[in-house]
Amino acid sequence: MKKVTIDEIELILSNATDVPVQWVGQAEALRQLLACWITVDPRDLPLTPRIIGYPGTGKTTLGIAAARERRQDVYIMQCTSDTRPEDLLVTPVLSEKGKISYHASPLLSAAISGGIAILDEGNRMSEKSWASLAGLFDNRRMVESVVAGIVINAHKEFRAAVTMNEDSSTFEIPDYIMSRLQPGIEPGFPSREDELKILEYNLPFSAEEVLDLCVNFLQKAHGLDLPYSIRDGINAIRYTLKQRETSPDADTGALFENALQQILGKEALDLDSLAAKRKASGDTLPGMGLGDFFFPDNDDLNPDNPGIT
Ligand SMILES: Nc1ncnc2c1ncn2[C@@H]1O[C@H](COP(=O)(O)OP(=O)(O)O)[C@@H](O)[C@H]1O
Ligand SMILES: [Mg+2]
């Protein structure tokens, strides 16, 4: 357990993560992230970018891999809608002897020890929590823990990135925070060649036939802009390989389809229709408001009734 003392307050630091990861292919995203973290002059400051994309597209992996490339410790701070400002900084813990000890979050531990913090799924966090970090991510590079009553200046080598999912279950992050989390980096969907390499790297024991089936599926989905990801592919391959063990006579193609259906739903078996359906619903369905779930469209009580202004 690493401890540091700041203004006579002893802080217990979080542990760095030690998951071994490697970034495969998609070199442009890695280059962009590493560029954000360099300084070109003693007066320059690093940037704190957002890594954006659908779930399962490698955002967290990219952050960890880039930190490893810089040979710095990496601290993962998982953000949720329940993350409170003190969770992001210092949490007081009452010990058995009735003494309070102060635990530094992974984010603060990175800032103190000169590591790299990945704020994972930052879009889930409320404005109140983000507000407490404003000074850490601008030229002040400092943050105040109200709980511990101390001000912490970030180490010169401290770097950070925030991952954000492109889905709807999230808070709107206010502009003054967004302006501190720039630029946006999008790993996007990999090319066929990179996708095969990524799957091979993650599943080196897989039969080539199954890898090929999976790359064909994923590439077709990417071409139609459907949000199926490497993670979905990895799950489908794993399940197919397991089923091959228990049903050795079954056709591998059929097992893979079966895996897709059980993991992603029946609609994943006909990507063209799914893409057409999504397009049609996106283009033609009128927006629904909360009121539409409780009242008929034309009900005067429905606040989303177009007749009410
Ligand atoms: N370029 C890549 N190199 C290596 N692994 C990758 C790459 N892209 C995605 N993956 C793999 O895909 C899976 C999902 O990645 P993850 O970083 O958890 O996605 P996200 O954070 O976007 O939800 C992981 O198993 C990861 O190893
Ligand atoms: Mg992630």
Side-chain angles (χ1 to χ4, degrees):
M1 214 160 40
K2 245 171 91 181
K3 294 177 184 173
V4 295
T5 303
I6 297 174
D7 287 342
E8 289 164 35
I9 298 285
E10 186 179 76
L11 291 176
I12 298 170
L13 300 186
S14 302
N15 290 323
T17 174
D18 54 7
V19 277
V21 298
Q22 197 181 316
W23 188 246
V24 180
Q26 296 182 283
E28 178 55 17
L30 181 61
R31 187 195 62 75
Q32 289 179 6
L33 180 51
L34 290 171
C36 288
W37 285 342
I38 62 170
T39 48
V40 298
D41 182 274
R43 291 160 295 182
D44 188 23
L45 292 172
L47 290 163
T48 299
R50 288 167 289 128
I51 307 173
I52 316 158
Y54 292 121
T57 50
K59 299 181 298 297
T60 310
T61 305
L62 175 63
I64 300 173
R68 294 256 184 277
E69 184 109 353
R70 285 178 58 95
R71 302 189 186 287
Q72 279 174 267
D73 282 341
V74 52
Y75 296 79
I76 310 281
M77 181 89 225
Q78 189 61 50
C79 305
T80 74
S81 51
D82 301 325
T83 303
R84 299 160 304 166
E86 59 264 38
D87 300 330
L88 289 166
L89 300 169
V90 177
T91 314
V93 177
L94 196 60
S95 71
E96 274 173 33
K97 292 174 200 135
K99 239 184 91 187
I100 289 179
S101 59
Y102 293 101
H103 290 245
S105 72
L107 169 65
L108 195 66
S109 300
I112 290 170
S113 61
I116 294 184
I118 308 295
L119 283 157
D120 215 12
E121 316 224 358
N123 51 311
R124 300 198 185 285
M125 207 158 67
S126 69
E127 172 179 1
K128 192 168 169 213
S129 295
W130 272 113
S132 64
L133 302 182
L136 188 60
F137 294 135
D138 61 28
N139 54 356
R140 291 172 284 171
R141 286 175 65 83
M142 51 159 264
V143 67
E144 183 181 358
S145 162
V146 178
V147 169
I150 51 173
V151 170
I152 298 113
N153 291 300
H155 189 287
K156 199 168 139 277
E157 293 304 322
F158 168 62
R159 301 289 187 273
V162 184
T163 77
M164 296 193 172
N165 272 329
E166 275 177 358
D167 63 22
S168 51
S169 59
T170 60
F171 287 100
E172 280 280 319
I173 297 182
D175 286 346
Y176 76 96
I177 292 297
M178 277 305 239
S179 66
R180 288 165 166 85
L181 307 176
Q182 299 292 352
I185 296 175
E186 276 187 73
F189 293 126
S191 67
R192 175 176 287 272
E193 197 192 342
D194 280 355
E195 193 139 59
L196 184 60
K197 275 197 261 171
I198 297 167
L199 292 172
E200 271 171 345
Y201 166 75
N202 282 281
L203 303 157
F205 46 83
S206 171
E208 212 164 301
E209 184 188 0
V210 185
L211 293 175
D212 286 339
L213 285 167
C214 187
V215 173
N216 288 340
F217 167 78
L218 287 174
Q219 286 292 315
K220 171 141 199 197
H222 304 335
L224 294 166
D225 206 25
L226 294 169
Y228 294 134
S229 67
I230 292 270
R231 185 185 292 130
D232 298 322
I234 291 175
N235 286 335
I237 293 176
R238 279 193 201 281
Y239 190 37
T240 304
L241 295 176
K242 291 178 200 313
Q243 298 232 73
R244 264 163 54 119
E245 290 286 312
T246 48
S247 321
D249 298 330
D251 173 66
T252 302
L255 289 179
F256 183 71
E257 284 216 346
N258 183 43
L260 288 181
Q261 177 170 342
Q262 280 187 258
I263 292 168
L264 301 173
K266 206 166 179 199
E267 59 202 32
L269 300 185
D270 186 355
L271 295 178
D272 289 310
S273 319
L274 177 61
K277 236 187 273 167
R278 275 171 62 102
K279 198 158 174 237
S281 65
D283 288 348
T284 56
L285 262 190
M288 296 255 284
L290 199 56
D292 294 323
F293 291 98
F294 296 106
F295 305 102
D297 266 357
N298 51 359
D299 192 314
D300 281 350
L301 286 173
N302 181 350
D304 295 310
N305 178 346
I308 296 178
T309 51

